[in-house]
Amino acid sequence: MKSITSTAYSISTKPKTFARPAPKKSWRSPSKPRPTPIRTLFFGTSEFAVPSLRMMAEHTDLRGVVTQPDRPSGRGHKRRATPVKLAALELGIPVHEPSSLATFASTVGDGYDVFALASYGKILPQALLELPRLGALNVHPSLLPRYRGATPLQSALRDGANETGVTIMLMDAGMDTGDIVLQERTPIDPDETYGDLHDRLAHFGALVLRHAIDLAQSGFIPREPQRGEPSVTRPIVKGDLEIDWRWDAARIINTVRAFSPRPAARATVARTPLKVLRAEIGTGSSGCEPGEIVGVTPPSVTVQCGRGAVNLVEVIAPNKPAATGAAFASHIALNDPKG
């Protein structure tokens, strides 16, 4: 298995460019013809997939995009196109929104070299996986076989992991069980939230996928079975968002990071339910019970935990916009001096 280097694919810096010597002109050595771009089909739905879609449109013969059908969303329940559909229409690429992948497989044809998938939301049936000549590549934001499944980013943050990565995998009929083509690691900053990590890995995933596409362009995709102890994530349920002040401070902060900015961890402070967007380690008091306010130091309000304390830096109170923890504490003090 080949691995790209962090030097060649830096996340935060612009790609390096190198001066090349001018080509020698000679009628005896005509320039080498550029290879024909590989024929591809892209599957994706959410914002995470958009950078990979744009890369595929730029570097391959992208013949279509497959995404989830428009669905009601928001307070008005209006039907909205997926972020991938909007990007594909902007790029002028044909869009498919099949309600049945089995039916789609029988009509899409077999004139493709590679399928690429990022955050599509469904597992491709075997009939589709057999269509592309070189296989179907999946962009998965984890170091497989760890964190297979639907919520790898949230699960890694909730576990307090200090490292994650992107795996490009050749899809098979299982859930994230295919052979690995490329895998690249990246550290997780202690202050990174789900939103921060999602956006960073979306662009990083597109870079790693670009390298896999370069390999496919040569006509050969390396593969290696997944090794190590697998773990599987599950969709988020409402109970996952609830903070128990009897937990230790690190667990509470990791929970806040895992679900910020959406759907956001939930906690009750001074009998007020809050969404918590930002939190950090604070200084507790041995005389306070878990959940009690220890003090206010702008911009935070400090709350006692089972072990240690947490500074609530940014919160959302019911029917209020996002505000600092100190502003929230000031509001409850005005309305209820007893807190």
Side-chain angles (χ1 to χ4, degrees), residues 212-230:
I213 289 295
D214 288 344
L215 295 173
Q217 186 74 52
S218 71
F220 172 73
I221 297 178
R223 57 194 302 169
E224 184 172 291
Q226 296 184 25
R227 302 184 191 284
E229 188 66 27

Side-chain angles (χ1 to χ4, degrees), residues 19-300:
R20 295 182 177 180
K24 296 180 180 178
K25 297 181 180 179
S26 170
W27 63 271
R28 295 179 178 176
S29 56
S31 58
K32 187 178 179 181
R34 297 181 63 181
T36 302
I38 57 175
R39 299 158 298 181
T40 61
L41 186 65
F42 183 81
F43 295 71
T45 295
S46 74
E47 286 284 354
F48 180 86
V50 172
S52 290
L53 163 62
R54 295 189 182 280
M55 185 283 298
M56 294 288 290
E58 184 175 356
H59 296 284
T60 74
D61 178 11
L62 182 56
R63 300 191 169 189
V65 168
V66 185
T67 190
Q68 302 276 357
D70 296 357
R71 287 178 177 162
S73 67
R75 291 187 175 180
H77 297 283
K78 293 182 179 179
R79 296 184 71 83
R80 299 181 189 277
T82 69
V84 162
K85 178 180 178 179
L86 294 175
L89 294 176
E90 176 191 324
L91 293 166
I93 300 169
V95 176
H96 307 277
E97 302 171 79
S99 55
S100 166
L101 287 177
T103 302
F104 181 67
S106 64
T107 60
V108 67
D110 57 359
Y112 298 94
D113 298 307
V114 167
F115 286 173
L117 184 147
S119 187
Y120 175 57
K122 287 186 176 180
I123 295 176
L124 302 192
Q126 189 63 35
L128 265 178
L129 296 177
E130 292 174 352
L131 291 178
R133 180 175 62 88
L134 295 171
L137 300 171
N138 175 238
V139 183
H140 197 270
S142 83
L143 298 173
L144 291 174
R146 295 214 65 194
Y147 299 119
R148 291 173 176 169
T151 54
L153 298 179
Q154 298 94 328
S155 298
L157 289 168
R158 191 166 54 173
D159 288 351
N162 56 19
E163 183 186 53
T164 184
V166 167
T167 301
I168 306 298
M169 172 191 67
L170 270 169
M171 297 179 69
D172 61 15
M175 185 175 67
D176 303 327
T177 56
D179 288 348
I180 293 174
V181 177
L182 293 169
Q183 191 170 75
E184 183 73 359
R185 297 173 179 271
T186 182
I188 299 176
D189 187 275
D191 295 328
E192 247 178 342
T193 65
Y194 165 70
D196 300 330
L197 189 60
H198 171 281
D199 293 350
R200 186 162 68 86
L201 288 196
H203 290 277
F204 189 44
L207 289 175
V208 185
L209 178 61
R210 165 70 191 281
H211 190 66
I213 289 295
D214 288 344
L215 295 173
Q217 186 74 52
S218 71
F220 172 73
I221 297 178
R223 57 194 302 169
E224 184 172 291
Q226 296 184 25
R227 302 184 191 284
E229 188 66 27
S231 60
V232 178
T233 66
R234 57 171 174 76
I236 297 167
V237 297
K238 191 174 181 180
D240 295 329
L241 309 179
E242 299 296 331
I243 289 174
D244 186 334
W245 289 113
R246 293 171 296 183
W247 294 348
D248 65 58
R251 181 178 178 184
I252 291 173
I253 289 170
N254 289 337
T255 301
V256 171
R257 293 168 61 213
F259 303 121
S260 177
R262 290 182 299 275
R266 316 296 164 89
T268 298
V269 178
R271 299 188 295 279
T272 303
L274 295 175
K275 293 182 179 179
V276 184
L277 302 182
R278 296 270 180 184
E280 61 187 21
I281 293 289
T283 301
S285 170
S286 58
C288 291
E289 295 293 321
E292 283 190 49
I293 293 178
V294 175
V296 178
T297 305
S300 306

